[in-house]
Amino acid sequence: MPIQLYRGDTRTPEQIQAANGFAARAPLTPATAIALVNRCMGQAGPYAAVALPPPANTTPLQTALNSANRINLLALMAEIKKGKSQDTVHISTDVTPDAGGYGTSYVYRMTFTLNYQVNGQGAVIPVGNNSDVLASAVGTRLVFEGANLATSQLIALTGVGAVGLTEVAFLTSIPYAHITHYQAPGTTAWVAMP
């Protein structure tokens, strides 16, 4: 069973369609997102190089990736959240349409069939339509749409944000095909995407 996630954006549905969905300011390819996750699994070095695209290649995240320090997924999520809008490598989504202060923007509903691993390890578990499995105050969920990380084109991390809201931070672009409906600013009716 699929899960629905939400994102606020000031662009119109036609602009989202023309852009073929959502992309970060410094978008990662699936291969780079996989390399990033693998680097941040908390294992001992030596570490494979992970080069973030400009302008993210000058951020504290890139500095951390270039270091000899261990990084786990929780630390990666914290570093991702420090990014400024012009150098972010993630796309923020929420498990509820009420999150994120969307009052003055469009709210987009997306549908996904996803799996997750707790802290990126162990059993691969279907998310289903259960947003509660994405929330964790002490760890991070590695979320992906394939049978495993290596075969996935959609890759995300989750963590609990402000006021207990659960953010799903996609490290890969979100194709237009996943964006099904929108609410215009100040309205509550869901309208099918063009």
Side-chain angles (χ1 to χ4, degrees):
M1 175 172 248
I3 190 168
Q4 294 177 339
L5 300 176
Y6 303 87
R7 176 172 172 76
D9 200 295
T10 57
R11 293 175 292 167
T12 67
E14 292 76 19
Q15 290 171 314
I16 299 296
Q17 183 181 34
N20 195 28
F22 298 117
R25 297 290 175 99
L28 303 180
T29 65
T32 301
I34 290 168
L36 176 61
V37 168
N38 285 333
R39 165 63 174 92
C40 299
M41 292 298 287
Q43 76 278 9
Y47 304 111
V50 178
L52 299 176
N57 61 337
T58 61
T59 62
L61 175 56
Q62 184 68 69
T63 301
L65 294 172
N66 293 344
S67 77
N69 298 329
R70 290 184 186 193
I71 305 171
N72 62 29
L73 292 180
L74 189 58
L76 173 60
M77 185 74 166
E79 285 297 321
I80 285 171
K81 296 307 297 170
K82 290 179 186 176
K84 297 175 180 63
S85 63
Q86 67 271 15
D87 60 24
T88 55
V89 297
H90 74 286
I91 304 157
S92 295
T93 67
D94 298 295
V95 298
T96 172
D98 300 323
Y102 296 154
T104 60
S105 65
Y106 288 88
V107 179
Y108 292 95
R109 182 166 64 197
M110 299 159 283
T111 302
F112 302 94
T113 301
L114 300 169
N115 297 306
Y116 76 97
Q117 289 179 300
V118 176
N119 293 321
Q121 301 173 349
V124 174
I125 305 165
V127 171
N129 190 24
N130 184 1
S131 63
D132 290 344
V133 301
L134 298 176
S136 174
V138 296
T140 302
R141 305 290 190 250
L142 173 62
V143 181
F144 44 87
E145 47 74 42
N148 56 50
L149 177 64
T151 62
S152 295
Q153 298 296 303
L154 289 172
I155 300 163
L157 298 173
T158 69
V160 176
V163 200
L165 301 175
T166 301
E167 176 183 4
V168 182
F170 280 84
L171 300 175
T172 52
S173 296
I174 300 173
Y176 178 79
H178 289 282
I179 308 166
T180 61
H181 292 81
Y182 71 92
Q183 287 178 342
T187 69
T188 57
W190 289 105
V191 179
M193 289 294 285

